[in-house]
Amino acid sequence: MKRFLFSAVLVTLQCGALVAATPDATRVLLVVNDSSPASRQVGLTYAREHDLPLENVCHIRTAPAQAINRSVYETEIRDVVGECLETHDLQDRVLYLVTTEGVPLWIEGDPGPVGDLASVDSELTLLYRHLLGRNDPVIGRIQNPYFSFDLGQHGFPPFERRNQDIYLVTRLSCRGLTDCSTVLRRGFTTVRSTGVFGLDLPSQRRSLLQDWIRQTRDSLAHLSQAVAVESTAGPFKGNQALLGYCALLGEGSRMAPPETLKWAPGGIGVVLGDTWSDLECLEGRQETGDRRQEAKEPSGRDEAAGGTPERGTRNLEPGAPERSSRIADPTVTSRDAPSTGAPEFQNSEPETRNSKLNECPATAAERFLAGGASGAIVNVADPTTDGYVRPQILFPAYVAGRNLAESVYLATRYLSWRQVVLGDPLVTIAKSATPSAAPVKRQPDSVTGLPKLFSDRRRALLRNRYSTSNEVISLLVQAEAARAHGKTEKALSLVDESLDRDPSILESNQLRAHLLEGLGRFEDAYAAYLKVLSVTRSPRLVFRTSAEDEASLHWKLARLAMSQLDRPDLAEPQAQWLLDHRGLRDLEAVALWTQIKLELRSWTDVEPVLLRLARQDKKAPAFVWEGLGDIAQARGNRADAERFFGTALDAPGANTAELQEKLKSLSQVSALSSSSAQLDSVVSTETPADSRTNDEISELSRPAGIVSRSPIQYPQEAVRQGIEGIVSLRLFIDERGQLIDVERVRGNGFLLRAAEQGVRNWTFEPKLVDGRPETDWIEVAIRFELEKR
């Protein structure tokens, strides 16, 4: 098969002597985002050059935005990649996950030293633990078990599955390169390379990061490696080819421009302090399905604080990190991705780029790759001083024969944090004293059928978690294996057998509910999820589930009742729980609760909540205005319904087609007129239309007022009972002159209801303050008087 022969020869001539290598590509799982043309193209090149088996290419489909929220990461990235591993029994065999340009970069959250903002790649390192059932908290950071705490004094061990329960994750990124394939091919050979390690110290003052660079100098010198140190305030001036380069980005530093550095084959570059920074040219909004998602930018900091912060509680004000390297593709909306199968590369088209993208400066790490480096490290946000990669471990490990991924993670203290490793994980320089770990052979467990190491760890975790028999645990794990291989009926039979022996196992109940839902047995699935909810609250459960897990169950029950069972009455208690526990700040929970209440025609319950949201936020989401419009329409207030639906069209998250259809149906309803007793007078106690002075109704400042009044019908029940009198109402007028709320002040109930319905057909003008419209309350008094006979 003809495969890039000319380019391969060209690289050989440019780089010097190369040693043919046959790295076992089955240790790599390549993650390709089918929604991104760039990701598909990068994946195509890498998969072809490494001869990746189809089972080692995992397809996801998510919006190619730079920042995503955690729930999207979990459902559209983590769970899909986990399914790829489980379906082909790759949990133990795969050691490295390789993401591609176009896969989101970071997960939104608090960017503080104990926040939950993290890079997607760093979160994926914990995927093996997640598949085992061990879920680490998302706040803060996790200690890396592969980190070399002894600074390599006892050597640098290869990364082996029998000793580690994580994955090593790197990313293939080619922004700024005319030919992306050149950087990808740098890892296809083991390089017999000579060169120096360049270290750039900005000054002679003492600091933790500068001491790290000095330790790097001493460690490499001890290994007889050539080292060039620039210890002045000026930039690095070495002209020799670099196997490694480390600089400190901070106040007063003048690191060498990456374009001036020369790289030896296999070179790695790192700048301590290099993060994606705030750039207006990369701001943008990505719309995905019915969810608008904004790629927010962080407030970067100049210098990290030291220390090792403990895990804390979630900050409710989400942050966002620093800069993205590609504009999100606004045309992509589909999220139904195959988890495995042949790559859909053949019909890839060049990615449409925002014209401003090329104006945005790249990070030093990206420019290292463009200049000839094989690997680089960058952070999506401030990782604190202790969170940067340690060059005094990174470079000696690389010299000792560890590959790029092993070297970086040996030098990285934290996972579930903010680091991104750019480059092919398998790139290795030839001076190898200890070979990398041999690939794990396919060795299924004789009882469960899962890979042997993974099966042993899974069963051990369950035995430690529950006081139950080995038979119950074996049946559960066998059921999990059957489900992973698509044998749903067999999995259901096995999990039922396990539950017959011990119904208190949470994982067994969860698996049964998932299986029933997958089989389309939705009533049984609803009952099974209710059982899961009861088990999570059982005193027999030896560990407590998180509030997020419990909330997820209520979401599942509510949506299952609404979408599959068409039972809003079953969904109502679940939605009420979410609203009570999440509050009005969780707009997704409010939207679900609103939908259910409107289905149940509970106008009096939902209307005050929607009005409160409308008053609090001038840019309230579309469901708020649409819900108010639905209520107005149900009450026969056509004018109000039209106004609310019109406002919803311009609000965030609007379903344009649905709203236009509602407006169209309203316009087709003819106005009905009826004869009834008319009012003798209408008087406003605050802003009577016939008594305002010229100053009060000036062009620049005025209170809210009534523009036109339509007749109010005298209630027939009041006529029969001979009820007369004056009622008072308070009207809330927004800055557009729309009537948003009506409060009953005093008066007879029959008359108040008629007056409230009547004023909703009036038109108003907003309050003006120095020419700016504002919201205002006005009070009106309405007299109901029967005709004298």
Side-chain angles (χ1 to χ4, degrees):
M1 181 174 65
K2 184 177 181 181
R3 296 163 53 247
F4 300 98
L5 179 59
F6 174 76
S7 297
V9 172
L10 180 61
V11 171
T12 301
L13 293 175
Q14 290 175 336
C15 295
L18 302 179
V19 178
T22 56
D24 189 351
T26 60
R27 293 178 295 173
V28 172
L29 183 75
L30 178 68
V31 180
V32 176
N33 183 7
D34 287 342
S35 297
S36 167
S39 180
R40 295 199 304 269
Q41 188 58 48
V42 171
L44 167 66
T45 304
Y46 189 85
R48 283 179 175 173
E49 292 297 320
H50 270 306
D51 288 328
L52 286 185
L54 289 181
E55 65 185 28
N56 285 71
V57 179
C58 180
H59 293 267
I60 67 172
R61 188 177 292 275
T62 190
Q66 303 303 324
I68 56 175
N69 64 48
R70 188 162 291 274
S71 63
V72 173
Y73 160 74
E74 291 173 352
T75 58
E76 298 183 5
I77 299 179
R78 183 198 66 186
D79 292 350
V80 178
V81 176
E83 184 180 349
C84 290
L85 293 165
E86 289 178 322
T87 301
H88 298 290
D89 293 332
L90 297 176
Q91 298 98 317
D92 289 338
R93 188 173 181 82
V94 163
L95 300 180
Y96 312 103
L97 304 181
V98 179
T99 60
T100 49
E101 184 172 350
V103 173
L105 270 168
W106 67 78
I107 303 167
E108 295 171 338
D110 177 8
V114 288
D116 58 345
L117 186 150
S119 74
V120 167
D121 294 8
S122 191
E123 285 289 358
L124 281 174
T125 61
L126 301 179
L127 180 56
Y128 190 96
R129 294 182 178 184
H130 173 73
L131 296 176
L132 285 174
R134 174 182 167 184
N135 293 319
D136 294 294
V138 299
I139 304 296
R141 55 220 188 158
I142 303 293
Q143 291 284 349
N144 174 11
Y146 189 52
F147 174 63
S148 180
F149 280 95
D150 64 358
L151 302 182
Q153 293 179 11
H154 297 92
F156 300 102
F159 185 77
E160 297 180 298
R161 178 56 64 218
R162 66 170 179 261
N163 298 324
Q164 303 296 337
D165 62 351
I166 62 173
Y167 292 108
L168 305 186
V169 184
T170 70
R171 177 175 291 255
L172 303 176
S173 178
C174 307
R175 191 168 77 89
L177 293 178
T178 304
D179 181 8
C180 184
S181 62
T182 57
V183 70
L184 297 182
R185 295 193 187 98
R186 291 176 195 149
F188 297 159
T189 56
T190 300
V191 183
R192 180 178 294 132
S193 182
T194 59
V196 302
F197 287 87
L199 305 178
D200 199 345
L201 284 167
S203 70
Q204 292 300 321
R205 72 182 183 90
R206 309 296 297 188
S207 71
L208 179 62
L209 294 181
Q210 296 208 66
D211 286 345
W212 284 4
I213 297 178
R214 294 185 180 96
Q215 291 172 17
T216 306
R217 174 197 60 196
D218 298 340
S219 298
L220 290 171
H222 181 72
L223 295 173
S224 301
Q225 292 294 316
V227 181
V229 180
E230 177 60 59
S231 57
T232 70
F236 184 81
K237 301 183 181 65
N239 293 320
Q240 295 173 281
L242 298 173
L243 278 174
Y245 173 78
C246 180
L248 176 61
L249 182 65
E251 186 176 355
S253 66
R254 295 183 180 178
M255 55 172 286
E259 295 80 3
T260 67
L261 300 176
K262 297 179 180 179
W263 295 96
I268 300 176
V270 57
V271 176
L272 303 177
D274 187 26
T275 62
W276 268 277
S277 58
D278 294 2
L279 291 174
E280 292 183 359
C281 57
L282 286 177
E283 290 179 352
R285 181 166 293 175
Q286 175 71 33
E287 187 164 316
T288 308
D290 61 350
R291 180 188 68 253
R292 282 191 178 184
Q293 178 177 307
E294 185 172 356
K296 303 176 182 177
E297 310 292 354
S299 54
R301 293 188 288 174
D302 292 335
E303 194 162 348
T308 308
E310 298 294 330
R311 290 182 168 285
T313 56
R314 183 184 299 272
N315 188 318
L316 294 178
E317 293 295 332
E322 308 193 346
R323 174 177 43 97
S324 54
S325 59
R326 183 169 297 283
I327 295 293
D329 182 355
T331 63
V332 177
T333 57
S334 174
R335 294 181 290 168
D336 300 324
S339 60
T340 58
E344 298 177 5
F345 295 135
Q346 288 71 13
N347 296 323
S348 298
E349 297 178 0
E351 183 164 14
T352 302
R353 294 172 180 257
N354 186 295
S355 60
K356 291 186 177 182
L357 178 60
N358 293 326
E359 301 173 11
C360 297
T363 61
E366 293 171 310
R367 287 183 285 163
F368 288 157
L369 295 180
S374 295
I377 300 97
V378 68
N379 290 280
V380 297
D382 178 13
T384 73
T385 301
D386 204 31
Y388 287 110
V389 65
R390 286 158 167 74
Q392 68 270 39
I393 303 174
L394 167 65
F395 293 145
Y398 200 45
V399 169
R402 302 279 58 84
N403 61 35
L404 172 66
E406 291 173 320
S407 301
V408 173
Y409 282 93
L410 279 165
T412 300
R413 184 170 183 178
Y414 301 116
L415 306 177
S416 184
W417 203 222
R418 292 161 183 174
Q419 182 173 272
V420 177
V421 184
L422 301 177
D424 185 341
L426 300 178
V427 62
T428 310
I429 56 177
K431 297 177 181 179
S432 176
T434 308
S436 295
V440 176
K441 296 181 180 179
R442 293 184 184 272
Q443 185 180 0
D445 183 270
S446 59
V447 176
T448 65
L450 290 171
K452 185 70 169 71
L453 283 173
F454 183 85
S455 179
D456 290 345
R457 286 170 169 156
R458 175 63 172 157
R459 288 194 287 179
L461 182 146
L462 292 171
R463 279 195 299 270
N464 291 333
R465 185 172 288 177
Y466 299 103
S467 298
T468 191
S469 67
N470 288 331
E471 185 180 13
V472 168
I473 290 175
S474 292
L475 286 169
L476 169 58
V477 178
Q478 289 178 65
E480 291 172 340
R483 182 199 181 208
H485 296 123
K487 301 175 182 178
T488 306
E489 293 288 355
K490 180 180 178 181
L492 184 59
S493 175
L494 287 166
V495 79
D496 282 342
E497 190 177 349
S498 176
L499 284 169
D500 287 342
R501 288 169 167 75
D502 190 341
S504 67
I505 307 299
L506 177 62
E507 287 84 351
S508 299
N509 285 282
Q510 289 173 328
L511 178 57
R512 185 173 187 274
H514 291 316
L515 292 169
L516 289 169
E517 184 181 7
L519 290 169
R521 295 167 54 180
F522 299 118
E523 291 186 1
D524 293 338
Y526 186 89
Y529 281 117
L530 282 177
K531 178 66 184 302
V532 173
L533 192 59
S534 68
V535 171
T536 62
R537 299 169 177 172
S538 170
R540 291 191 58 193
L541 195 66
V542 296
F543 66 98
R544 297 267 66 84
T545 56
S546 68
E548 289 296 320
D549 291 336
E550 187 170 2
S552 295
L553 281 171
H554 286 283
W555 276 109
K556 172 63 72 175
L557 284 162
R559 287 169 171 159
L560 194 61
M562 289 293 290
S563 62
Q564 302 298 343
L565 301 179
D566 195 21
R567 291 284 304 275
D569 56 312
L570 292 179
E572 183 181 23
Q574 316 303 333
Q576 189 66 54
W577 185 95
L578 289 167
L579 186 65
D580 292 342
H581 287 76
R582 296 298 187 91
L584 295 182
R585 295 186 66 178
D586 189 337
L587 293 178
E588 194 173 2
V590 179
L592 176 67
W593 180 83
T594 299
Q595 177 191 1
I596 293 168
K597 286 292 187 179
L598 291 176
E599 289 278 346
L600 295 173
R601 303 179 67 81
S602 301
W603 316 131
T604 56
D605 291 340
V606 73
E607 187 176 31
V609 173
L610 298 181
L611 289 171
R612 180 178 173 183
L613 289 173
R615 288 197 294 265
Q616 287 178 346
D617 187 359
K618 293 180 180 180
K619 295 183 179 180
F623 79 84
V624 172
W625 305 104
E626 186 175 3
L628 290 170
D630 289 335
I631 294 172
Q633 184 178 15
R635 289 174 172 168
N637 300 322
R638 186 170 65 87
D640 276 357
E642 286 180 336
R643 286 197 296 270
F644 285 132
F645 290 150
T647 303
L649 275 172
D650 298 326
N655 186 328
T656 305
E658 179 180 321
L659 287 166
Q660 288 177 342
E661 186 63 31
K662 288 184 177 183
L663 286 168
K664 181 180 178 181
S665 65
L666 280 175
S667 66
Q668 293 173 348
V669 177
S670 60
L672 300 177
S673 60
S674 59
S675 60
S676 61
Q678 300 299 314
L679 297 182
D680 181 64
S681 62
V682 177
V683 181
S684 169
T685 60
E686 289 190 2
T687 55
D690 56 355
S691 63
R692 285 186 291 171
T693 66
N694 290 334
D695 290 338
E696 288 177 319
I697 56 176
S698 67
E699 290 294 329
L700 295 179
S701 297
R702 66 165 187 249
I706 303 167
V707 176
S708 66
R709 309 171 180 83
S710 57
I712 297 177
Q713 293 182 346
Y714 210 115
Q716 295 301 316
E717 185 64 27
V719 173
R720 284 195 296 269
Q721 297 184 28
I723 297 174
E724 296 180 309
I726 298 175
V727 299
S728 294
L729 302 173
R730 292 187 73 233
L731 312 179
F732 182 71
I733 312 301
D734 72 4
E735 68 279 358
R736 298 182 181 183
Q738 296 185 7
L739 175 61
I740 299 299
D741 195 9
V742 179
E743 287 187 0
R744 302 175 185 179
V745 179
R746 59 184 175 273
N748 176 270
F750 291 124
L751 303 181
L752 278 170
R753 282 193 292 273
E756 180 179 350
Q757 291 183 1
V759 297
R760 291 185 182 278
N761 293 317
W762 295 1
T763 58
F764 304 87
E765 60 185 4
K767 176 182 178 180
L768 291 181
V769 177
D770 295 330
R772 297 190 305 273
E774 294 186 359
T775 60
D776 195 14
W777 287 91
I778 63 174
E779 187 168 332
V780 295
I782 302 171
R783 180 190 302 276
F784 287 80
E785 187 175 49
L786 294 170
E787 295 179 357
K788 306 301 182 184
R789 298 181 182 272

